[in-house]
Amino acid sequence: MKLKRLNIALPKGRLGEKVYEMLENLGYGCPGLTDGSRKLIFEDDGGITRYFWVKPSDVDIYVERGAADIGVVGRDILLEHNPDVYELLDLGFGKCRMCVAGMAGYEPNPNRTLRVATKFANIARSYYASKGREIEIIKLSGSIELAPILGMSDVIVDIVETGSTLKENNLEVKETVCDISARLIVNKAAYRFKNEEVRGLVEKINAIYSNKVN
Amino acid sequence: MTQNILRKEEKAIFDLRELYETHGYKKYKMSKFEEYDLYADNRSFLAEGNIITFNDTHGKLLALKPDVTLSIVKNAASGERIKEYYNENVYRAIDGEYREIMQVGLECIGEADLYSTCEVIMLAKKSLECISKDYILDLSNAAFVGGLFENRSIPYDVREDLLTCVAGKNPHDLARICRENGIDDAICTKLTTISETYGKVEDVIAALRPLAENDTMTSALDELEAIYNFMTAVGEGENLRLDFSLINDISYYDGIIFRGYIDGVARGVLSGGRYDKLLDKMGKHTGAIGFAIYMNTLDLYFEDKNDYDVDILITYDDTADLAALTRTVKMLTGGGRSVRVQKSGDGSLKCREYFRFGERGLEIETT
C-alpha cells in the first residue's frame, strides 16, 4: 500500500532548522524549505512530506487540531498548554532549564504572597502549588528579567539557557523547576490512520540515537 | 427528497437511532436541569470542563446537565435492567466559555456479561460505521496497567504521573520519573512496552502476554481475548485495535475501555467502557457498560458542501399575476426542485437558475 503524506509542523528558528537537517538526512528532505523564501507550505515531489514553519509556541495547536500530523516543540510549551497529543520522542535538541530566578542575594519575604513574573503562568502556578506557596502571577510576554529589577515582582519563572542574560542583569537562578528539550509530538488520529508512516519516522530517529550511544 | 433535506449530521443521527432501536434500546429523554448535588457527589466521574450552575426560584443550586450517564444511573431502580440510548445536548464550561455539546450515547445497565459487553462494543463499532467507513475502534482494559501496580508501594501522585506518561506514549519522561523516584527498571521497561505497543488485537495480546505478572493482569488480557474472539466469530473483528495507553482519562470507566476514531477527524469521536464503580458508589451493585459519541467533534466532518442555497430563485414585481406565480411555483416544486420567491434579489443567494416573474409571466434572467 502506498504510504500517506506526513504533515510536519516545524518551529521557526534555529531549533526547527536543526530538526529539519536531521529529517533531511533520514530521507525526509523537501526542496526549497531552507531557501528563506516567503512560502508557507513546502511539499516534496515524492509525496512523503509536507512541511510548514510555525511560531514555536503554536506547534502543539497545529498538531492537536490535526492540521499537522507531527510537530517538534519545546517541553516548556507542552507543560504550559498540556495539549492532547502523543509525545513520542525526546529529541535532545534545544536543551535548557525552566528556572526560578531573582535578584542576586535577594530573599523574598515568606510571610507574604510571592509575586512571580512569567510567560509560563500554568507552569509557575503548578510549581508553587506543589510547594504550597501562595503566589500572584504577573503575566508578561517578553523581557521578563526586567520585572524583578524594577521591583515589580519578587522572582521570575523563565527559560535559562546559558544564564548570561541573568548574570548581566545581576540576577541569579534560585531554583530549577524542570529540564527542557525538544519533543516530537503526534496527533492522536494521525497515530492511528498513518501508523506505518509515523512509526517509520520514529524508528529512523531512534536508530540515530542508539547509534550515538554505541 | 427527504434524503436531500437531511443534513449529513441529521442523517447520521437517524441512522444511529435506528441502529439502537433495532437492538431493543429505548430512547431516554431528560430535562435540561439536575440538582447540582448529583455532580458534586460524583465529580471524579465527570469528564473535562466545569459545570454551569444557577439558582432555582427557591434558591436551590441547579446545574445545566453536563452529562447524561449520571442521570440515567441515578434514575435506575436497584436491580433494574436498562438498555437505553439518548441524543441530548449537554452543557459545560470549557476554557472559560459556555459550550453546548450534542451527545449521542447508549447505556446497558444490570447485565455486563460477555454477550452484553460485545453487543455494546459492536454497537459502538456500527455507530462509527454509520459516520464513516474509515474508522478505528481501540480497545483497552484499565485493569492491565492497574495490575502492574498491585502490591507495589508506589505513592499515589507518582503513579498518576506514570499513568499520564503511559497515556501520552511518552517513554522519556516515564524513564525520568522512575529514575527520580527509585522505581526499578523492570517496571519502567514494562510500562514503556505497554504504552508503545499498538496494533491488531491478537498481535498486541501475544506481545504483552509475557508481561503479565499476576492474576489481575492475566485476566485483563483473557477478558479482551474473549471479547475479540467473540467479535471475530460474529464477523466484527476488523478495524479493532488494542492500545493499553488508553487508560481512564474519564475516570468513570474502569475495566474495559474503548475509543473510536474517524479518519479526517483530529480527536477521538467515541468514548466508552465499563463503569461498575459508579453504580457501586450509588449503591446499585451491578455491572454497566456504555459509550457516548461527541457530535461536536464531527461538526467540520459533517459540513455539507452545498454549492447552491436553492435550485430556483424567482423575483416578481407589482405587475405579476400572483395566482399564476403560485401555480408556477407548484409546478416547479412538484418536479422536486426547491424554489424561493421574493420581491427583489439582493445577489447574496446562490441559485442554479434565476427567473423574473412579470406581466408576461416567467422570464429567464440573463444578467
Side-chain angles (χ1 to χ4, degrees):
Chain A
M1 211 171 86
K2 193 181 176 295
L3 290 181
K4 294 178 197 157
R5 199 188 275 277
L6 280 176
N7 296 307
I8 305 176
L10 291 179
K12 275 183 204 158
R14 220 173 23 165
L15 170 64
E17 282 159 23
K18 266 173 102 174
V19 171
Y20 175 69
E21 197 182 306
M22 174 191 75
L23 291 173
E24 193 178 28
N25 289 333
L26 292 173
Y28 292 90
C30 186
L33 191 72
T34 47
D35 292 353
S37 95
R38 282 173 182 268
K39 256 173 72 176
L40 294 172
I41 297 180
F42 299 86
E43 285 184 4
D44 76 314
D45 297 332
I48 298 172
T49 54
R50 177 186 294 123
Y51 284 98
F52 25 92
W53 295 108
V54 303
K55 190 176 172 182
S57 56
D58 290 342
V59 170
D60 60 318
I61 301 172
Y62 283 82
V63 174
E64 185 180 31
R65 294 185 162 263
D69 302 316
I70 289 183
V72 173
V73 62
R75 184 176 180 225
D76 49 330
I77 306 297
L78 295 175
L79 289 172
E80 183 64 20
H81 294 173
N82 196 20
D84 186 19
V85 296
Y86 291 131
E87 185 184 327
L88 296 186
L89 288 172
D90 180 351
L91 295 172
F93 295 130
K95 276 195 177 153
C96 52
R97 286 180 300 159
M98 183 67 69
C99 292
V100 177
M103 299 300 289
Y106 173 72
E107 283 302 322
N109 182 349
N111 295 323
R112 87 176 149 71
T113 306
L114 187 73
R115 296 167 304 154
V116 183
T118 186
K119 268 195 274 191
F120 302 97
N122 292 332
I123 295 177
R125 212 171 279 133
S126 70
Y127 176 67
Y128 283 107
S130 75
K131 308 185 79 168
R133 180 83 159 98
E134 199 181 328
I135 61 163
E136 178 189 343
I137 299 266
I138 303 170
K139 178 98 168 68
L140 298 176
S141 325
S143 307
I144 316 291
E145 297 84 0
L146 202 52
I149 298 172
L150 297 176
M152 185 165 80
S153 79
D154 297 308
V155 291
I156 62 173
V157 169
D158 205 12
I159 288 174
V160 177
E161 242 170 294
T162 58
S164 53
T165 316
L166 292 181
K167 211 174 263 171
E168 273 174 39
N169 291 293
N170 196 29
L171 294 161
E172 63 183 12
V173 169
K174 306 270 186 198
E175 297 154 54
T176 298
V177 177
C178 60
D179 291 318
I180 306 289
S181 58
R183 306 291 165 93
L184 183 93
I185 57 172
V186 177
N187 173 272
K188 289 196 167 179
Y191 183 84
R192 294 171 166 79
F193 295 105
K194 296 186 180 176
N195 193 263
E196 202 182 326
E197 295 82 351
V198 170
R199 282 196 180 181
L201 177 66
V202 169
E203 274 162 23
K204 281 181 195 163
I205 298 175
N206 264 331
I208 321 180
Y209 284 93
S210 44
N211 283 344
K212 269 188 195 161
V213 174
N214 295 338
Chain B
M1 188 69 189
T2 325
Q3 290 296 312
N4 292 336
I5 286 179
L6 285 180
R7 291 187 294 119
K8 280 186 204 158
E9 183 182 350
E10 291 166 332
K11 185 176 176 315
I13 289 170
F14 273 115
D15 290 346
L16 293 173
R17 288 184 57 173
E18 190 182 1
L19 172 68
Y20 306 149
E21 295 268 354
T22 52
H23 285 82
Y25 285 74
K26 281 208 172 66
K27 191 165 194 303
Y28 174 79
K29 182 74 196 148
M30 64 169 197
S31 78
K32 295 265 180 277
F33 321 126
E34 183 79 71
E35 280 187 33
Y36 175 72
D37 288 354
L38 174 65
Y39 306 109
D41 288 347
N42 297 289
R43 246 192 179 289
S44 64
F45 293 103
L46 283 175
E48 56 152 7
N50 286 315
I51 300 162
I52 303 169
T53 56
F54 60 98
N55 289 321
D56 74 359
T57 49
H58 304 291
K60 194 188 279 176
L61 197 57
L62 293 184
L64 276 175
K65 284 189 177 169
D67 171 276
V68 185
T69 308
L70 278 175
S71 300
I72 293 183
V73 172
K74 189 190 86 169
N75 293 327
S78 206
E80 192 183 0
R81 283 175 170 69
I82 288 180
K83 287 195 173 193
E84 283 176 337
Y85 74 94
Y86 56 87
N87 168 18
E88 295 282 347
N89 286 325
V90 296
Y91 303 86
R92 290 178 194 159
I94 298 169
D95 298 332
E97 280 176 58
Y98 286 0
R99 299 258 289 273
E100 186 176 24
I101 299 163
M102 194 201 277
Q103 261 190 23
V104 174
L106 176 148
E107 315 292 348
C108 173
I109 300 170
E111 272 165 12
D113 59 345
L114 183 64
Y115 185 85
S116 309
T117 304
C118 290
E119 181 185 76
V120 171
I121 293 174
M122 188 196 72
L123 287 171
K125 205 169 156 291
K126 288 199 175 299
S127 302
L128 293 167
E129 261 171 30
C130 283
I131 299 163
S132 166
K133 295 285 164 238
D134 295 313
Y135 70 92
I136 283 175
L137 185 65
D138 282 350
L139 302 178
S140 175
N141 191 339
F144 188 66
V145 181
L148 197 59
F149 291 110
E150 254 180 32
N151 304 322
R152 286 206 165 88
S153 54
I154 297 172
Y156 180 77
D157 55 331
V158 176
R159 211 170 115 162
E160 289 295 296
D161 288 347
L162 289 172
L163 289 176
T164 306
C165 291
V166 172
K169 296 191 181 289
N170 174 338
H172 38 278
D173 285 324
L174 194 64
R176 177 182 53 80
I177 294 168
C178 287
R179 211 168 45 236
E180 284 171 4
N181 291 283
I183 295 165
D184 70 79
D185 285 352
I187 300 190
C188 185
T189 314
K190 280 188 177 182
L191 283 172
T192 305
T193 311
I194 289 170
S195 80
E196 284 178 344
T197 311
Y198 177 80
K200 294 214 169 95
V201 181
E202 68 264 42
D203 298 346
V204 175
I205 290 179
L208 296 186
R209 185 70 76 183
L211 268 60
E213 53 184 51
N214 53 37
D215 288 349
T216 311
M217 293 180 84
T218 308
S219 55
L221 285 178
D222 290 345
E223 192 181 5
L224 280 169
E225 197 163 42
I227 291 169
Y228 181 65
N229 290 341
F230 187 112
M231 297 292 283
T232 323
V234 297
E236 296 287 348
E238 85 289 1
N239 293 14
L240 293 177
R241 300 282 182 277
L242 196 51
D243 183 4
F244 282 108
S245 81
L246 180 56
I247 29 188
N248 42 341
D249 49 347
I250 296 173
S251 51
Y252 58 63
Y253 297 129
D254 46 80
I256 297 291
I257 308 175
F258 44 96
R259 173 77 49 92
Y261 290 84
I262 300 272
D263 197 3
V265 181
R267 299 165 202 239
V269 300
L270 180 150
S271 175
R274 289 284 294 260
Y275 53 93
D276 301 11
K277 269 189 208 156
L278 176 61
L279 281 109
D280 274 350
K281 188 159 181 296
M282 292 198 173
K284 298 161 186 172
H285 304 285
T286 181
I289 181 165
F291 62 83
I293 302 168
Y294 306 104
M295 299 306 283
N296 59 317
T297 56
L298 293 165
D299 272 0
L300 288 171
Y301 185 79
F302 279 134
E303 199 168 56
D304 291 279
K305 303 233 167 17
N306 262 345
D307 294 331
Y308 299 101
D309 296 316
V310 63
D311 291 330
I312 299 168
L313 172 67
I314 302 178
T315 58
Y316 61 97
D317 55 34
D318 293 335
T319 64
D321 173 354
L322 296 183
L325 172 60
T326 310
R327 279 195 298 275
T328 309
V329 172
K330 260 190 186 163
M331 187 192 76
L332 291 169
T333 53
R337 286 185 288 179
S338 57
V339 182
R340 173 148 162 166
V341 181
Q342 57 191 47
K343 229 175 170 177
S344 60
D346 58 6
S348 66
L349 205 70
K350 285 179 287 179
C351 55
R352 284 175 210 276
E353 288 173 278
Y354 176 30
F355 299 115
R356 280 171 55 82
F357 202 91
E359 215 174 345
R360 286 171 295 151
L362 210 58
E363 298 164 5
I364 292 178
E365 183 62 55
T366 46
T367 50

